[in-house]
Amino acid sequence: MLVRILPLLLAAPCLGQDVLWYRQPARVWFEALPAGNGRLGAMVFGGAATERLQLNEDSIWAGEKRDRINPLARQALPEVRRLLSSGKLREAESLADKALIATPRRMPPYQPLGDLQLRFPGHEAFQDYRRELDLSTAIVRVTYRSGDVRYTREVFASAPDQAIVIRLTASKPRSLRFIAGLSREADAKASASAGRIDLDGEAMAHGAGYQGERPTGVRFHAVLKIFPEGGQLITKGAELQLEGADAATLILVAATSFRHPAPLERCNLELEWKKRDYSSMRAAHIADYRRLYDRVVLRLGGARASHLPTDERLELVRQGGSDTALEVLYFQYARYLLLSSSRPGAMPANLQGLWNEQLAPPWESKYTININTEMNYWPAEVLNLPETHEALFDLIDRAREDGRHVARAMYGAGGFVLHHNTDLWGDAVPIDGVRSGIWPTGGAWLSLHFWEHYAYAPDRDFLARRAYPVLKEAAEFFLDTLVEDGKGHLVVSPSISPENRYRTRDGITASLCMGCSMDNQILDTLFRRVIEAGRILRLDAPFRERVENARKRLIPLQTGRYGQIREWAEDYDEPEPGHRHFSHLFALYPGDQITPRGTPELARAARISLERRLASGGGQTGWSQAWVVNFWARLEESEKAHQAVVTLLRRSTGPNLFDTHPAGKSFVFQIDGNFGGAAGMAEMLIQSHAGEVALLPALPAAWRDGEVKGLRVRGGMEVDMHWSGGRLREVVLHPKADASFRLRAPKGQNFLEGRAPVYTLHAKPGAEWKLMLQ
């Protein structure tokens, strides 16, 4: 029976289940614990005798805004297209590499702010050590005993106060003694006076790829201010020494020339504002954070807070064990990381989110928009953190300026274009080389995030003011640049299937192509969104007609000789059948063109593509395996989806639960797998892309008992669910919009109301509804 009720009250999480903790300090960066407020970040190592906080500020990039368009591009583009259409692939790639790739060929890197070091003389011997990150408060805490004194540190990155705050206490009076210093590997200088340490510098490019190319970078300034309670604070060179204190609060602020013409003056101003005591700052930080974090609760049966440290639990999983509580922790950790690396007014999460310790990081730690940046924001809407999307929207708006310039100067087109990477300034040019850089569909994919934000919270003002202009402008570029393929279709040319290659019947291996499947799928989605948005807003009927006519001429989804979804317009061989990208399955996820019930034949073909790639070694990177979780969830293969989650933990997760990416014989950090994995877990619990809300569509046996609160679905609704024995018992709906929702029960179940597997609810905002199932 359908009744109006009060919100479902899930039991409070088990004490400690949202905590990462360890018995020892971090020895390497991959063991340190992250703190962040969107703009400022710190990796806390937790050493007893020497504490290191590796620091980041999100706008410290070693470069500047500049025009990177290859001067040969406009003239060479028609010839590249002609060579491609005539089958002269090597000639086309050679010309494209010389004439289309930007000058310089690389974008500048994102760099660290520096390090804060705290040295504690006499603490080399310590006992009863514990280091933890409490996800429920976003506070890193270190406790240990040295001699007969217990020492405690708390570290958090406050969004309200825009500062990194450190609190040091000792269990006995006058027992706190330490030396503090700020430093950076290069390009910065520290000084100390009057109870503060200043670090002033400029980001400069380092590494082999920048020899002879070291442009002016972003200037930055940081200040560490120490507020002692008792004791004596002494200046020693560029360091500060505190002797005989009861406690101390350390506040670090930072500013850059990207946002402020005078970073030092900005730091001074921010310190003047921070007059509150530690307790007030801590309380404001927790209140701000929990307002967002507490929206979603996930509990799984058998999931108890383990008595083992996080790294030991992860090792047991690697050895073949199971730990559903660790899976829940991983899920909530992703939400923590997104909140910590993407806040309104800050830069969006990059390849490493916010946290990077290297002057020359892998792939420059920039915004790779042929999968990685998009994956960072897959959980934003469904996991009830829509505010985190705003930072991405701001970057896209900034990038549209250069995207329009590149569209005109390089392609002779209207609208805007982005290729496979962008940076702090929103650079839109193709970079690096043909195999990765000549992909003009990055802006189109990013623009779809505006639609997703609208779909989860239908707001006509947002649609008209922010979403529709971006979607329309992205479509305008392709209306001006799609070319005939000689077979009646319109295709993107030149392009690539991101970072992959194909082999022709003549044995030629190439990347550059015309009309790859991913481009067709993204454009089909973009065009549908533009048409729907225009209809809702009653705008641009002639333009909508042009878009619809172009959409009808895109190459439709095609299958190949193995029954698989084709990756290219032709059924080419694959030199690397286990490639890490699954670009041709965009239509399955995050797209919506392929669904098990709506397009069963294409769903079978997608399954074949997925199985073939995995059988050949695909999914070896963390983000690639995370994508696999989402694919299996969309195919409603619950056990395969869960196995992909377990594989992600076993093979692509570091001791601090950061996602890993192979790099030669070692591995590096990429945050996308954390976000993609959590999004996939959400897809296992709820889906809303196929015109209905599917409840527990891919619930594995390992999750047979559980409950979840606060998941969001398209159309504007939050959903709470409780299940046991693998069967959904009740669902509570919290509509946020005046809309109708078609609900689908899990396989083999019916709603009590109507005794059917499908139920349609006509909802109004403010009401809360409970549905029981049998």
Side-chain angles (χ1 to χ4, degrees):
M1 186 172 73
L2 183 62
V3 294
R4 301 184 71 169
I5 65 159
L6 294 173
L8 177 68
L9 299 175
L10 277 74
C14 297
L15 182 64
Q17 79 168 18
D18 284 3
V19 175
L20 288 74
W21 74 276
Y22 304 84
R23 303 183 197 271
Q24 69 286 324
R27 296 161 296 179
V28 295
W29 191 87
F30 249 113
E31 296 176 356
L33 293 172
N37 65 8
R39 185 177 69 88
L40 293 171
M43 293 291 286
V44 183
F45 283 66
T50 302
E51 171 67 280
R52 177 192 177 196
L53 273 69
Q54 183 268 305
L55 306 170
N56 287 100
E57 200 278 351
D58 67 354
S59 63
I60 297 178
W61 291 63
E64 58 189 347
K65 184 176 177 60
R66 58 192 299 182
D67 190 342
R68 300 170 181 272
I69 298 177
N70 192 314
L72 304 175
R74 181 72 175 272
Q75 182 179 354
L77 182 62
E79 179 62 9
V80 171
R81 287 171 171 163
R82 188 193 69 79
L83 291 169
L84 275 176
S85 63
S86 61
K88 296 181 179 180
L89 305 178
R90 289 172 178 159
E91 293 88 340
E93 290 196 345
S94 177
L95 178 59
D97 196 65
K98 294 175 183 175
L100 301 187
I101 296 298
T103 55
R105 298 171 70 91
R106 295 178 65 181
M107 285 182 181
Y110 170 60
Q111 290 190 339
L113 169 60
D115 280 4
L116 164 61
Q117 280 202 346
L118 303 173
R119 302 195 304 277
F120 298 87
H123 290 206
E124 292 77 13
F126 57 92
Q127 303 83 33
D128 300 333
Y129 181 93
R130 180 182 171 102
R131 174 172 57 101
E132 68 178 37
L133 166 59
D134 187 341
L135 302 183
S136 68
T137 61
I139 293 178
V140 178
R141 182 180 174 91
V142 177
T143 61
Y144 62 90
R145 184 169 51 82
S146 182
D148 60 351
V149 180
R150 174 160 291 279
Y151 294 92
T152 301
R153 301 174 204 156
E154 288 191 339
V155 181
F156 59 86
S158 169
D161 284 296
Q162 283 299 300
I164 293 173
V165 182
I166 304 107
R167 176 70 171 172
L168 308 175
T169 61
S171 63
K172 288 190 173 184
R174 299 182 297 282
S175 297
L176 185 62
R177 177 191 180 202
F178 66 88
I179 302 162
L182 288 176
S183 63
R184 193 174 192 261
E185 184 180 345
D187 310 319
K189 183 178 180 180
S191 60
S193 64
R196 61 185 266 173
I197 305 173
D198 288 63
L199 182 71
D200 189 74
E202 180 178 353
M204 302 291 285
H206 291 261
Y210 296 97
Q211 291 175 353
E213 174 65 34
R214 296 194 73 194
T216 301
V218 172
R219 292 179 293 107
F220 59 88
H221 197 95
V223 178
L224 177 73
K225 180 73 173 177
I226 299 179
F227 298 89
E229 296 177 18
Q232 183 180 13
L233 188 60
I234 306 166
T235 301
K236 287 195 170 183
E239 296 182 323
L240 293 176
Q241 181 170 326
L242 180 62
E243 296 281 352
D246 298 331
T249 300
L250 288 65
I251 298 177
L252 184 132
V253 297
T256 75
S257 59
F258 178 75
R259 293 189 174 98
H260 307 286
L264 169 58
E265 292 178 12
R266 179 66 184 186
C267 287
N268 289 337
L269 185 61
E270 289 193 358
L271 284 174
E272 280 298 311
W273 291 340
K274 292 168 179 42
K275 299 296 187 182
R276 290 186 292 180
D277 60 20
Y278 174 75
S279 297
S280 298
M281 296 180 75
R282 187 181 191 272
H285 158 72
I286 292 175
D288 170 79
Y289 172 78
R290 295 196 68 167
R291 173 179 60 87
L292 303 168
Y293 179 80
D294 285 354
R295 290 172 181 169
V296 171
V297 176
L298 173 63
R299 297 180 62 195
L300 297 177
R304 298 290 182 266
S306 175
H307 64 283
L308 293 175
T310 304
D311 52 344
E312 295 180 26
R313 294 170 65 186
L314 182 63
E315 184 58 34
L316 290 175
V317 171
R318 286 174 177 160
Q319 295 172 8
S322 63
D323 190 337
T324 55
L326 187 62
E327 294 167 23
V328 172
L329 186 64
Y330 185 88
F331 174 89
Q332 291 288 35
Y333 186 50
R335 297 183 67 247
Y336 166 82
L337 293 174
L338 189 54
L339 270 175
S340 300
S341 63
S342 187
R343 289 288 194 105
M347 292 299 296
N350 60 42
L351 275 176
Q352 294 184 214
L354 176 62
W355 304 276
N356 162 47
E357 71 167 341
Q358 297 175 271
L359 295 176
W363 303 284
E364 290 78 44
S365 191
K366 52 189 182 296
Y367 300 100
T368 301
I369 58 175
N370 64 10
I371 176 63
N372 313 91
T373 301
E374 291 86 351
M375 184 179 286
N376 285 358
Y377 288 88
W378 285 353
E381 302 296 334
V382 66
L383 295 187
N384 218 332
L385 299 173
E387 295 89 345
T388 62
H389 242 146
E390 293 181 25
L392 179 63
F393 297 157
D394 289 345
L395 177 61
I396 296 169
D397 283 341
R398 188 181 310 131
R400 286 164 65 199
E401 178 184 349
D402 196 53
R404 295 181 192 114
H405 172 55
V406 173
R408 289 192 303 269
M410 183 172 171
Y411 291 92
F416 84 99
V417 62
L418 301 178
H419 291 80
H420 94 296
N421 269 277
T422 191
D423 60 15
L424 176 69
W425 300 273
D427 276 324
V429 289
I431 64 166
D432 295 343
V434 166
R435 186 173 177 183
S436 58
I438 308 296
W439 189 65
T441 322
W445 191 353
L446 282 179
S447 71
L448 295 176
H449 282 254
F450 285 90
W451 177 265
E452 284 296 284
H453 189 71
Y454 167 77
Y456 277 88
D459 177 351
R460 285 176 62 93
D461 179 67
F462 173 82
L463 184 64
R465 179 176 49 85
R466 294 210 70 179
Y468 182 67
V470 177
L471 292 163
K472 180 182 178 181
E473 203 171 359
E476 285 174 334
F477 170 78
F478 290 99
L479 292 182
D480 288 349
T481 58
L482 288 171
V483 300
E484 301 275 354
D485 71 347
K487 301 176 183 178
H489 297 116
L490 294 176
V491 297
V492 180
S493 177
S495 189
I496 59 171
S497 186
E499 303 183 31
N500 204 357
R501 298 173 297 157
Y502 60 92
R503 183 183 297 115
T504 68
R505 294 178 181 176
D506 299 331
I508 297 174
T509 298
S511 297
L512 213 58
C513 67
M514 302 172 61
C516 73
S517 293
M518 185 182 222
D519 288 347
N520 301 328
Q521 294 167 23
I522 289 176
L523 291 192
D524 177 80
T525 306
L526 172 65
F527 289 169
R528 285 188 286 122
R529 302 314 185 215
V530 169
I531 292 167
E532 187 172 355
R535 286 174 179 162
I536 293 169
L537 298 172
R538 298 180 181 178
L539 294 174
D540 298 328
F543 181 75
R544 295 203 309 267
E545 185 176 358
R546 289 180 61 204
V547 173
E548 182 58 46
N549 289 336
R551 177 176 173 261
K552 290 176 181 177
R553 296 187 62 193
L554 297 173
I555 298 175
L557 286 160
Q558 303 178 100
T559 56
R561 75 193 82 164
Y562 305 108
Q564 86 285 9
I565 300 290
R566 285 192 199 174
E567 187 160 356
W568 295 274
E570 303 295 330
D571 195 12
Y572 293 126
D573 286 333
E574 299 178 85
E576 192 179 348
H579 196 267
R580 61 193 174 278
H581 283 257
F582 296 87
S583 303
H584 52 313
L585 297 184
F586 173 94
L588 178 60
Y589 187 93
D592 60 4
Q593 298 105 307
I594 299 176
T595 63
R597 274 173 287 279
T599 59
E601 292 184 1
L602 289 174
R604 283 192 289 271
R607 180 188 180 110
I608 291 171
S609 292
L610 179 57
E611 290 175 336
R612 284 177 54 80
R613 189 140 292 183
L614 292 175
S616 299
Q620 291 296 320
T621 69
W623 63 261
S624 183
Q625 187 64 31
W627 206 351
V628 171
V629 179
N630 288 274
F631 289 142
W632 286 128
R634 283 283 175 94
L635 291 172
E636 300 182 3
E637 290 283 357
S638 56
E639 299 309 319
K640 291 181 181 295
H642 182 251
Q643 184 55 51
V645 172
V646 174
T647 300
L648 188 59
L649 286 170
R650 286 178 178 166
R651 195 171 63 197
S652 300
T653 301
N656 61 359
L657 301 189
F658 269 176
D659 174 67
T660 64
H661 184 101
K665 295 182 179 180
S666 185
F667 56 84
V668 297
F669 167 48
Q670 277 192 202
I671 203 167
D672 37 27
N674 288 102
F675 297 140
M681 293 174 71
E683 287 289 315
M684 295 164 70
L685 297 172
I686 201 161
Q687 297 177 18
S688 62
H689 62 288
E692 62 183 20
V693 177
L695 307 172
L696 303 185
L699 186 72
W703 298 359
R704 60 183 284 111
D705 302 310
E707 54 187 346
V708 67
K709 170 187 177 291
L711 298 182
R712 299 171 78 230
V713 298
R714 294 169 182 86
M717 185 165 65
E718 292 183 10
V719 179
D720 307 335
M721 292 182 286
H722 168 74
W723 63 94
S724 62
R727 297 179 68 81
L728 183 59
R729 303 301 176 181
E730 61 183 24
V731 55
V732 177
L733 309 171
H734 308 269
K736 306 299 180 182
D738 191 345
S740 294
F741 296 91
R742 175 184 166 92
L743 307 172
R744 179 172 293 278
K747 297 173 187 175
Q749 287 195 255
N750 292 323
F751 294 100
L752 285 178
E753 181 80 10
R755 308 288 177 177
V758 174
Y759 183 86
T760 299
L761 173 69
H762 303 285
K764 291 186 179 295
E768 294 165 335
W769 304 94
K770 178 179 178 180
L771 287 171
M772 308 299 291
L773 292 93
Q774 58 181 184

